[in-house]
Amino acid sequence: MTWLPTAVILSIVVVAAVHGASVVQDWSLAATNISPDGFTRSAALVNGQFPGPLLTANKGDSITVNIHNNLADPTMRRSTSIHWHGIFQPRNAYNDGPSFVTQCPIAPNNSYPYTLVLGEQAGTFWYHSHLSTQYVDGLRGPLVIYDPNDPQKSLYDVDDASTVITLADWYHPAALGTTNAWFAGAPEPVPDSGLINGAGRYSGGPTTVQRARINVKRGKRYRFRLISLSAEGFFNFSIASHSMTVIEADGVAHQPYTVDIIPLLPAQRYSVVVTANQTVDNYWISATQTIRGVTTQSANSNFNGTDTFAVLHYDGASSAEPTAPQPAGLPSGAVVFEEFNLKPLVNPGPPGGSAAPDQIFNFTFVNTTLNADVWVINNSSYKSPSVPTLLKILANGARNASNFGTNENTFVLKPNSNIEVSFIGGLFHAFHLHGHTFDVIQSASGGAPNYVNPPRRDVVASGGTTDNPVRIRFRTDNPGPWLVHCHVDWHLAAGLAAVFAEDPAGIASGPQSVRPNAAWEQLCNIYNKLDPSLQ
């Protein structure tokens, strides 16, 4: 049975479907004044809330979200598009969401119905705007697909809306202005605060902002679904006096792995099992936030990465904050998460094993200006085309790399092939591939190359060395134009992205072809007629 808290939905309809339920929601996007850290600003929100409403379904269901774009604040982008992060969207690439890759944006005062084809996927996902840096302004929220027959269900007792934990960086100025200032030579934007489930504090701000509270009962085991909604901040998550057993990464079940602290890069997700086995009391939940590896930034005195806390509240404890000091570090002997220790639960191993892949891409990335406002991959900075990549393939017959502009950074992938990508560059980046998960055969966290049971996910940290960079592998079994990009949103806006045009001929025709609906076909006509101020 699909469950959704009524407070976060304008309307919902669940009807029987052939292979599952059909979940239908209506979302209104509008500017709303909120103060999650004590500072009031106008934000772009779904149904007036941050984070956005928890969107849930069961494995095998389908989801339709009717987006009604009522954004009208001129300090923010007023057109929009929504990406459903981690959902493969087979034969449904036109609903993937990245502007100018799979669609034109939804114009203000217009609507569009997104359909999510879930298939066999289950796990922890999220959604966010995918137009420029718009999701910085608030258009981001959690998405959970439950598996009633989860093979690891015996490991936990509670898994519901109360166990979803979101981490987010938060900015006081609107993203449109800070993005333009950065491109004009200002320092890279820095968040003002960090939020856990939409609540936080900033340096020098009010100390009366209530910390988020996660309620537990002693003796119960909880599946906490950790979701980084971040645009830039990296978080280190821990719970005082409690260990965490990782059982999922980015929508993929993994063998249980017990740790005391977990790093979450922008867009990464983990499910962890936590047993409420301590004395009835209140315990600090800590999510230390770093920007480029440090917890303070001269560009923004509001930012204090060490002040991102929530409270783990045992039933029967007082309603006050924990009496213990806020933790400044981990206790001696604490187990720190290392990505290379993750092992998929089902069907481990990269496609092709240790055999040579069919296509290899070495992505060398670097910034080209002092303030890092232009990023390039292989000496080319991605620029969004005026005609979406998918439309070029379907309407213009684009089949080869030469059919796309140089700054579109579009690489054609052959069908049914094993692909390897190396990310060669510095630290503090998080690369995401749309339309797929991938096997991390060489992790930034170290370890030897793994062709047997490497981690499987959809967001990976950069790192390693030029001679031994981070490497991923995946198989081309899902035709579509799939964006691959840094999920530090400022870096994506500055060109740190490419597009994999996977099997263009198969996108246009055949059993896995993409067939957009009539509403999609009108998006570009409407958007292109807008005054630039409304785009």
Side-chain angles (χ1 to χ4, degrees):
M1 180 71 181
T2 300
W3 184 93
L4 282 166
T6 56
V8 302
I9 306 169
L10 285 183
S11 69
I12 180 170
V13 180
V14 181
V15 297
V18 175
H19 297 295
S22 177
V23 179
V24 182
Q25 293 199 25
D26 285 284
W27 286 0
S28 173
L29 278 53
T32 306
N33 286 333
I34 59 170
S35 50
D37 62 1
F39 179 90
T40 301
R41 61 154 291 182
S42 176
L45 303 181
V46 177
N47 294 356
Q49 65 185 80
F50 184 85
L54 172 62
L55 177 58
T56 70
N58 283 334
K59 180 179 177 179
D61 290 353
S62 65
I63 299 175
T64 298
V65 181
N66 296 307
I67 299 294
H68 306 290
N69 182 5
N70 299 309
L71 296 169
D73 187 332
T75 68
M76 297 182 285
R77 296 295 293 258
R78 283 176 277 183
S79 294
T80 194
S81 69
I82 306 295
H83 172 53
W84 314 93
H85 185 115
I87 303 301
F88 298 153
Q89 300 283 33
R91 297 203 68 186
N92 197 37
Y94 68 97
N95 280 314
D96 188 46
S99 292
F100 307 110
V101 178
T102 61
Q103 68 170 95
C104 282
I106 306 165
N109 300 313
N110 280 265
S111 300
Y112 180 76
Y114 281 104
T115 299
L116 284 63
V117 178
L118 303 181
E120 293 299 304
Q121 284 191 269
T124 308
F125 308 93
W126 67 299
Y127 59 85
H128 59 86
S129 164
H130 219 306
L131 173 63
S132 184
T133 54
Q134 188 182 49
Y135 90 70
V136 169
D137 288 323
L139 284 179
R140 33 181 165 156
L143 165 60
V144 176
I145 309 302
Y146 294 102
D147 182 358
N149 300 309
D150 178 12
Q152 302 194 93
K153 200 168 187 176
S154 64
L155 299 180
Y156 53 87
D157 304 308
V158 183
D159 177 26
D160 57 24
S162 72
T163 63
V164 175
I165 300 176
T166 62
L167 310 177
D169 51 3
W170 189 248
Y171 300 75
H172 294 169
L176 180 61
T178 52
T179 302
N180 290 339
W182 182 42
F183 287 167
E188 183 173 311
V190 173
D192 292 277
S193 62
L195 311 179
I196 300 179
N197 281 0
R201 299 177 186 178
Y202 65 94
S203 182
T207 59
T208 54
V209 177
Q210 197 76 18
R211 308 278 190 187
R213 194 169 86 171
I214 309 300
N215 298 313
V216 297
K217 291 185 177 181
R218 193 174 191 281
K220 294 288 187 181
R221 302 166 302 167
Y222 293 83
R223 178 175 181 165
F224 290 133
R225 295 178 182 265
L226 312 180
I227 306 174
S228 173
L229 310 179
S230 180
E232 182 176 23
F234 288 31
F235 290 95
N236 287 309
F237 184 90
S238 61
I239 305 175
S241 302
H242 295 75
S243 61
M244 301 173 285
T245 300
V246 181
I247 61 171
E248 176 214 348
D250 295 355
V252 179
H254 282 73
Q255 296 177 23
Y257 170 36
T258 301
V259 299
D260 294 301
I261 187 168
I262 299 176
L264 286 95
L265 279 62
Q268 288 187 328
R269 296 90 65 209
Y270 293 101
S271 280
V272 300
V273 176
V274 174
T275 301
N277 57 6
Q278 299 298 303
T279 302
V280 171
D281 206 343
N282 295 306
Y283 297 84
W284 287 114
I285 296 173
S286 175
T288 300
Q289 183 180 187
T290 60
I291 302 297
R292 296 182 290 282
V294 296
T295 57
T296 60
Q297 288 285 334
S298 60
N300 190 347
S301 61
N302 287 343
F303 176 71
N304 176 8
T306 65
D307 190 16
T308 307
F309 292 99
V311 177
L312 185 73
H313 171 77
Y314 275 67
D315 184 39
S318 75
S319 59
E321 289 189 350
T323 55
Q326 292 176 340
L330 288 173
S332 176
V335 178
V336 178
F337 174 93
E338 299 282 6
E339 183 186 60
F340 66 82
N341 285 323
L342 286 174
K343 297 175 174 58
L345 184 69
V346 178
N347 192 28
S354 60
D358 298 302
Q359 290 179 273
I360 297 176
F361 297 91
N362 295 317
F363 283 175
T364 299
F365 60 94
V366 67
N367 65 283
T368 60
T369 62
L370 181 62
N371 285 322
D373 58 356
V374 176
W375 283 89
V376 299
I377 291 178
N378 297 350
N379 298 315
S380 179
S381 182
Y382 176 80
K383 302 294 184 185
S384 296
S386 58
V387 177
T389 308
L390 180 58
L391 185 58
K392 286 186 177 181
I393 293 170
L394 293 176
N396 298 352
R399 299 291 183 269
N400 304 305
S402 60
N403 299 139
F404 303 94
T406 302
N407 283 340
E408 292 180 56
N409 287 5
T410 299
F411 301 87
V412 174
L413 304 185
K414 300 173 184 176
N416 303 312
S417 298
N418 299 329
I419 310 299
E420 179 173 304
V421 184
S422 296
F423 297 103
I424 305 167
L427 299 171
F428 313 128
H429 302 275
F431 282 95
H432 170 51
L433 172 63
H434 291 224
H436 291 274
T437 53
F438 46 73
D439 290 276
V440 186
I441 60 174
Q442 182 62 65
S443 172
S445 66
N450 186 347
Y451 299 100
V452 178
N453 54 4
R456 184 172 297 150
R457 60 186 322 156
D458 62 41
V459 179
V460 68
S462 64
T465 65
T466 301
D467 294 331
N468 191 30
V470 170
R471 290 186 292 152
I472 66 171
R473 286 192 181 182
F474 64 98
R475 185 162 180 80
T476 52
D477 54 8
N478 187 22
W482 304 119
L483 192 63
V484 54
H485 64 94
C486 179
H487 225 294
V488 174
D489 215 31
W490 312 109
H491 298 172
L492 170 58
L496 193 46
V499 175
F500 284 135
E502 181 177 334
D503 186 14
I507 295 171
S509 64
Q512 292 182 284
S513 59
V514 178
R515 291 286 181 265
N517 59 27
W520 181 90
E521 292 175 349
Q522 293 302 312
L523 287 174
C524 289
N525 292 333
I526 298 170
Y527 177 82
N528 290 334
K529 294 176 182 177
L530 290 175
D531 183 90
S533 66
L534 298 175
Q535 295 182 339

